[in-house]
Amino acid sequence: MACQWLARSLLVATCISLGAGTRIADISGIHQRTPLLGQTVNLTALVTAKGESGFYLLEDSVPDTRVSNGLAVFTTSTSILRQVNPGDIVSLTGKVTEYRPTADPDYLFLTELESPTKITVLSTNNTVTPLVLGKDRSPPTEQLSPLDSGWDGWLSVPNNRSRIDTVNGTLRPEEYGIDFWASLLGQIVSIPKPVSIDFPNSFGEFWVYGDWPVTGKNSRGGLSLTFGPLGIPDANPEAIIIGAPLDGTKNPQTAIGTTLTDIVGVVTYQFGFYYVLPLTAPAVISSPDFTVVPTTLSSMDDCAITVGDYNVENMAPTGTHIIDVATHIADVLLTPDIVFIQEVQDNSGPTDDGVVSANVTLSTLVQAIAAASDVTYSWIDIDPVDGEDGGEPGGNIRQAYLYRPEKLQLVKAPGIVAGGALNATKIIGPFGKPALSLNPGRVDPTNTAWQDSRKPLAAQWTTASGHNLFTVNLHLVSKGGSTTGQGDARPPVNLPVAQRTSQVETVSTFVESILRLDPWANILVAGDCNEYLQTRSVFSSLA
Ligand SMILES: *[C@@H]1O[C@H](CO)[C@@H](O)[C@H](O)[C@H]1NC(C)=O
Ligand SMILES: *[C@@H]1O[C@H](CO)[C@@H](O)[C@H](O)[C@H]1NC(C)=O
Ligand SMILES: *[C@@H]1O[C@H](CO)[C@@H](O)[C@H](O)[C@H]1NC(C)=O
Ligand SMILES: *[C@@H]1O[C@H](CO)[C@@H](O)[C@H](O)[C@H]1NC(C)=O
Ligand SMILES: *[C@@H]1O[C@H](CO)[C@@H](O)[C@H](O)[C@H]1NC(C)=O
Ligand SMILES: *[C@@H]1O[C@H](CO)[C@@H](O)[C@H](O)[C@H]1NC(C)=O
């Protein structure tokens, strides 16, 4: 087979004892793991690309689309890297290995050739023809792995039920995204008409889709999480991360909807995801208009209440982003009547000095909004117990409400006071007239569900038109410790999903107790859930 390929490349006159060598297809196989692990092999193949940590080989394609015809050769030896160049046909010997950083046991193994020796350049300047994605092969658009069993697909609970590398299944690239990208591992591909779907991370890496079928495309050119035709959350495996260019150039600044020149690169796996490493950085063709259109909601009507929600991201009184947040609330959200805020830090910010009050932080934000609009908000919050609510150490983040006193007032019945950090507000009152026993108050703050986490802030309001409104401002426990969507554990580990589910259950119980006294009560639960809404099991108690 390699002879056939060499004949096509026209530059090698004779077939140099190729029958003796191993084929890349034999190394790739049709399973997730290589069948030739640990074996020393002789190869003859075309060099397609090289970077600082090795080069990439390609052989003639085999008819089986499950089999990759590409392979990464790992070496940081500059003398070896000087010896080979894209377009060379080389013969070499090396050892088939599977790489996974010991510190990251939840990543997949990457099959590669290590310790290359006996490298002979047989010919140079051969044409390298990438496989064209969207034309030769297109990624599937819904599921990542057949092991993501459960009603919520890749977001199913329980998760971590099996491991791709242990199951070592036969690849099904037509149906599953991980299998698709695995079937192209080490291969050179081109991505026609790439569109970025996010901003670059701190390493200049960004996600794209190319000129192929996609699902969940939104008006900004990004891909939203949706439900697939079978009612399973769609994982958008048709998107791929563009890593650092192999030639040392720098990727451009992108945003959602940035269009780029075609990308040619090699498929690899690193940091828990499949990547395409471009030969060189693509150029931006067009960038979307970043102007954020203000809301069309306005509160002209006394009977209506407008609501906003903003996670102000570890806001301390000295936060340099206070002006930006204030401008957004003024000019984009158009100063809603009530704003649910999360992540307000105490007056000393992350300094761990026992301070828990956030009145300076909140009045600084309120003043900044007043300077950017004609609205001066009132605000309420409840100080947590120092260090008990998680988040940045010393910061004591909590939820708060900003509200326009001419549109909403806290209900202040005789004897009703604000609760403290550990006082649970309860639903009291006769049938038809539910009320909070503490206003504002925290929902079930001593329940273990809220350990090391921000307790929900409940309040009862009366509007200018005399209506009653209950609100619960949530900030559920964050996903720290979870594995990547394209990692080994399936469905991917979602931490701490059991705690997050219990948190939602305590809020559901609270909401039910209001509805038991008044099935028509106005209740608004909002905030930062730290969870995909498609993870239905977490929210099922709210249904
Ligand atoms: C994966 O499956 C292939 C094909 O059966 C086999 O050759 C290889 O040894 C397996 N690897 C592991 C680690 O199970
Ligand atoms: C690789 O080639 C060498 C000769 O260069 C030979 O001695 C060796 O047996 C070959 N190894 C394999 C695995 O084919
Ligand atoms: C390589 O090929 C290109 C175009 O096919 C040709 O212009 C160039 O001279 C060749 N270089 C060598 C070293 O053969
Ligand atoms: C996932 O399962 C593996 C066993 O397959 C176990 O070692 C690991 O601790 C689990 N991870 C989590 C976060 O539960
Ligand atoms: C914050 O609260 C303290 C203690 O009640 C008070 O002395 C101070 O004036 C308040 N600061 C602001 C900005 O409201
Ligand atoms: C809050 O709980 C503490 C400790 O149990 C208690 O001393 C205090 O009176 C409670 N406050 C209210 C307003 O119920």
Side-chain angles (χ1 to χ4, degrees), residues 106 159-163 166 481-483 489 493-495:
D106 290 313
N159 49 53
N160 196 23
R161 299 173 76 181
S162 59
R163 300 184 85 82
T166 309
S482 299
T483 59
V493 174
N494 179 353
L495 284 179

Side-chain angles (χ1 to χ4, degrees), residues 28 94 127 233 299:
S28 305
T127 307
S299 86

Side-chain angles (χ1 to χ4, degrees), residues 312-364:
V312 297
E313 296 195 332
N314 286 319
M315 180 177 281
T318 50
T320 50
H321 61 307
I322 290 185
I323 296 292
D324 285 341
V325 170
T327 310
H328 296 160
I329 291 174
D331 296 346
V332 182
L333 300 182
L334 303 183
T335 51
D337 297 329
I338 181 166
V339 192
F340 290 54
I341 302 278
Q342 299 88 38
E343 290 198 15
V344 174
Q345 289 194 337
D346 64 39
N347 295 341
S348 63
T351 307
D352 195 358
D353 54 3
V355 169
V356 288
S357 171
N359 66 343
V360 178
T361 316
L362 282 159
S363 59
T364 306

Side-chain angles (χ1 to χ4, degrees), residues 196-265:
S196 77
I197 58 172
D198 64 351
F199 297 91
N201 63 18
S202 56
F203 304 100
E205 303 167 346
F206 55 93
W207 289 82
V208 301
Y209 58 81
D211 190 11
W212 56 74
V214 297
T215 51
K217 190 165 166 176
N218 57 46
S219 61
R220 298 176 68 188
L223 300 184
S224 297
L225 274 189
T226 54
F227 286 102
L230 299 176
I232 296 172
D234 180 325
N236 287 323
E238 66 271 36
I240 181 86
I241 312 182
I242 305 303
L246 290 169
D247 67 353
T249 53
K250 295 274 173 274
N251 279 329
Q253 186 66 31
T254 59
I256 300 174
T258 301
T259 62
L260 300 149
T261 53
D262 292 2
I263 293 169
V264 175

Side-chain angles (χ1 to χ4, degrees), residues 144-483:
L144 286 165
S145 166
L147 302 179
D148 291 342
S149 54
W151 169 243
D152 285 346
W154 67 295
L155 302 175
S156 292
V157 176
N159 49 53
N160 196 23
R161 299 173 76 181
S162 59
R163 300 184 85 82
I164 289 181
D165 282 337
T166 309
V167 172
N168 187 26
T170 309
L171 298 180
R172 293 161 68 181
E174 313 296 324
E175 296 154 272
Y176 297 104
I178 287 178
D179 298 31
F180 175 82
W181 296 108
S183 77
L184 294 173
L185 200 60
Q187 215 161 306
I188 188 160
V189 297
S190 95
I191 301 176
K193 299 193 171 72
V195 179
S196 77
I197 58 172
D198 64 351
F199 297 91
N201 63 18
S202 56
F203 304 100
E205 303 167 346
F206 55 93
W207 289 82
V208 301
Y209 58 81
D211 190 11
W212 56 74
V214 297
T215 51
K217 190 165 166 176
N218 57 46
S219 61
R220 298 176 68 188
L223 300 184
S224 297
L225 274 189
T226 54
F227 286 102
L230 299 176
I232 296 172
D234 180 325
N236 287 323
E238 66 271 36
I240 181 86
I241 312 182
I242 305 303
L246 290 169
D247 67 353
T249 53
K250 295 274 173 274
N251 279 329
Q253 186 66 31
T254 59
I256 300 174
T258 301
T259 62
L260 300 149
T261 53
D262 292 2
I263 293 169
V264 175
V266 288
V267 178
T268 191
Y269 183 90
Q270 55 183 7
F271 314 124
F273 291 97
Y274 286 93
Y275 273 69
V276 166
L277 303 179
L279 303 184
T280 192
V284 168
I285 295 176
S286 71
S287 282
D289 180 1
F290 295 114
T291 317
V292 178
V293 184
T295 179
T296 54
L297 292 176
S298 68
S299 86
M300 302 308 287
D301 179 350
D302 264 1
C303 294
I305 289 290
T306 56
V307 180
D309 188 294
Y310 206 134
N311 181 326
V312 297
E313 296 195 332
N314 286 319
M315 180 177 281
T318 50
T320 50
H321 61 307
I322 290 185
I323 296 292
D324 285 341
V325 170
T327 310
H328 296 160
I329 291 174
D331 296 346
V332 182
L333 300 182
L334 303 183
T335 51
D337 297 329
I338 181 166
V339 192
F340 290 54
I341 302 278
Q342 299 88 38
E343 290 198 15
V344 174
Q345 289 194 337
D346 64 39
N347 295 341
S348 63
T351 307
D352 195 358
D353 54 3
V355 169
V356 288
S357 171
N359 66 343
V360 178
T361 316
L362 282 159
S363 59
T364 306
L365 175 60
V366 163
Q367 280 163 29
I369 297 169
S373 68
D374 57 358
V375 172
T376 302
Y377 280 108
S378 298
W379 52 264
I380 51 163
D381 71 337
I382 294 176
D383 296 336
V385 176
D386 187 33
E388 289 296 307
D389 280 12
E392 187 179 11
N396 289 315
I397 54 169
R398 85 288 312 271
Q399 294 91 282
Y401 294 105
L402 309 185
Y403 63 99
R404 299 175 65 161
E406 71 280 14
K407 297 299 295 283
L408 291 146
Q409 288 289 333
L410 269 183
V411 171
K412 288 259 197 276
I416 301 294
V417 297
L422 299 178
N423 306 119
T425 186
K426 293 271 179 346
I427 305 302
I428 52 171
F431 187 79
K433 284 213 170 302
L436 294 188
S437 63
L438 299 168
N439 192 24
R442 295 178 124 195
V443 177
D444 208 356
T446 55
N447 189 309
T448 52
W450 297 105
Q451 199 169 329
D452 290 324
S453 183
R454 288 69 50 172
K455 285 69 177 165
L457 181 63
Q460 183 184 3
W461 310 88
T462 180
T463 69
S465 56
H467 288 88
N468 200 55
L469 171 67
F470 293 93
T471 58
V472 181
N473 188 347
L474 289 179
H475 188 182
L476 304 185
V477 62
S478 72
K479 282 172 108 74
S482 299
T483 59

